[in-house]
Amino acid sequence: MLLHSSLSSIGEVRDGPNAVIDGILDVIGIEGTLMVPTFNYWIMPLFDPATTPGLTGVISEVLRKRRAAVRSLHPTHSFAALGPLGPRFVLAHEKVGAFQIDSPVDRLAKAGGFTVLLGVRHDSNSTVHVGEAYAKPWYLGLPFRPNDPTEAKIRDGNIERDVSIAGLQSGCSLAFNAVEMPLRRNNSILDFKLGNAICQIIPTQAIIDRTVELIRDREDILLCSWAGCFFCTNARSLRGI
């Protein structure tokens, strides 16, 4: 299971993020694996999976600090996981690319996993980026911001090494709510509430498949219209749209 979450959306939670994590682990059982985004984006100059904080919510940050958790070595868009498939999901993420084919999210999808949006919408849904990787729109691999670095330094055990991230980073996600209606038309979304939080659970592969269909029907559908977005403005300019 891949969890994107907002703890504050739930309301008051006794024992806080640990209670949410433990509750999900109870539901998925000992054979289940819980994976969360632990993106640090561009904290530099060195990504250390043991100490570099994630910036994707307190639930994700608390999970990555658990003793049994494993974290991928991607220098900007890592994932942390708890459970038997965790090591397999995060292996060699820094070599594959943030959300490329065979990245952690793609591996979870192929294993029959689900994506849970807990108090967040699809503009926080990283799985859509994997769908973009399969659909291969023209903007794939463009820099998210001007002068984005093409290499990053990571700590791998006791070794520091450089990894290339040129052309393998994610783009903008502001328009990703476009995937919701196709998923609903295919009865792929189960709605539920956790406290005050409005939540969805969706087969991860279904998100990838619907994203591919959307892009094939209209290649620019996941580009936002905000004039201040460098990525989407640049992508549209390349096509004169």
Side-chain angles (χ1 to χ4, degrees):
M1 176 184 290
L2 171 61
L3 176 68
H4 291 283
S5 61
S6 165
L7 181 65
S8 63
S9 70
I10 303 173
E12 185 176 351
V13 180
R14 184 178 179 181
D15 297 328
N18 279 304
V20 177
I21 294 167
D22 290 338
I24 294 173
L25 292 175
D26 285 344
V27 170
I28 66 177
I30 60 173
E31 295 183 357
T33 296
L34 176 59
M35 188 165 75
V36 295
T38 51
F39 308 159
N40 59 291
Y41 303 105
W42 293 108
I43 291 180
M44 296 294 179
L46 173 69
F47 172 71
D48 185 336
T51 61
T52 301
L55 303 176
T56 43
V58 64
I59 294 175
S60 295
E61 182 66 354
V62 168
L63 184 145
R64 79 141 185 107
K65 291 180 178 179
R66 289 202 174 188
R67 183 174 299 179
V70 292
R71 190 181 189 186
S72 72
L73 290 177
H74 194 280
T76 61
H77 290 79
S78 63
F79 286 88
L82 276 172
L85 294 182
R88 173 180 144 196
F89 287 161
V90 305
L91 179 67
H93 186 196
E94 74 281 10
K95 298 177 181 178
V96 178
F99 304 108
Q100 304 300 308
I101 296 169
D102 202 37
S103 63
V105 178
D106 190 35
R107 294 171 186 172
L108 181 140
K110 287 182 169 63
F114 290 80
T115 294
V116 172
L117 304 179
L118 194 164
V120 298
R121 299 191 65 200
H122 290 273
D123 52 3
S124 297
N125 185 354
S126 298
T127 304
V128 179
H129 285 304
V130 181
E132 289 179 308
Y134 277 95
K136 295 180 174 61
W138 84 91
Y139 57 79
L140 200 66
L142 292 176
F144 183 67
R145 300 178 303 189
N147 303 315
D148 270 353
T150 58
E151 288 193 343
K153 188 178 292 292
I154 65 172
R155 185 182 299 280
D156 185 356
N158 295 321
I159 300 171
E160 293 183 10
R161 58 185 175 92
D162 293 321
V163 294
S164 174
I165 51 178
L168 296 174
Q169 295 298 84
S170 63
C172 175
S173 63
L174 291 179
F176 280 10
N177 286 314
V179 305
E180 181 164 343
M181 287 312 299
L183 287 165
R184 290 196 180 280
R185 284 195 294 268
N186 282 269
N187 298 313
S188 297
I189 296 177
L190 174 64
D191 297 293
F192 66 100
K193 288 191 72 176
L194 182 64
N196 297 325
I198 297 172
C199 310
Q200 300 179 15
I201 182 168
I202 314 150
T204 305
Q205 188 61 52
I207 300 170
I208 294 172
D209 293 343
R210 299 294 82 75
T211 300
V212 170
E213 291 170 359
L214 275 174
I215 292 173
R216 288 177 178 170
D217 287 342
R218 182 184 149 193
E219 201 173 11
D220 68 337
I221 194 166
L222 297 181
L223 297 178
C224 80
S225 56
W226 178 43
C229 177
F230 172 82
F231 179 85
C232 294
T233 301
N234 184 34
R236 290 182 187 280
S237 70
L238 293 176
R239 285 294 178 94
I241 57 177

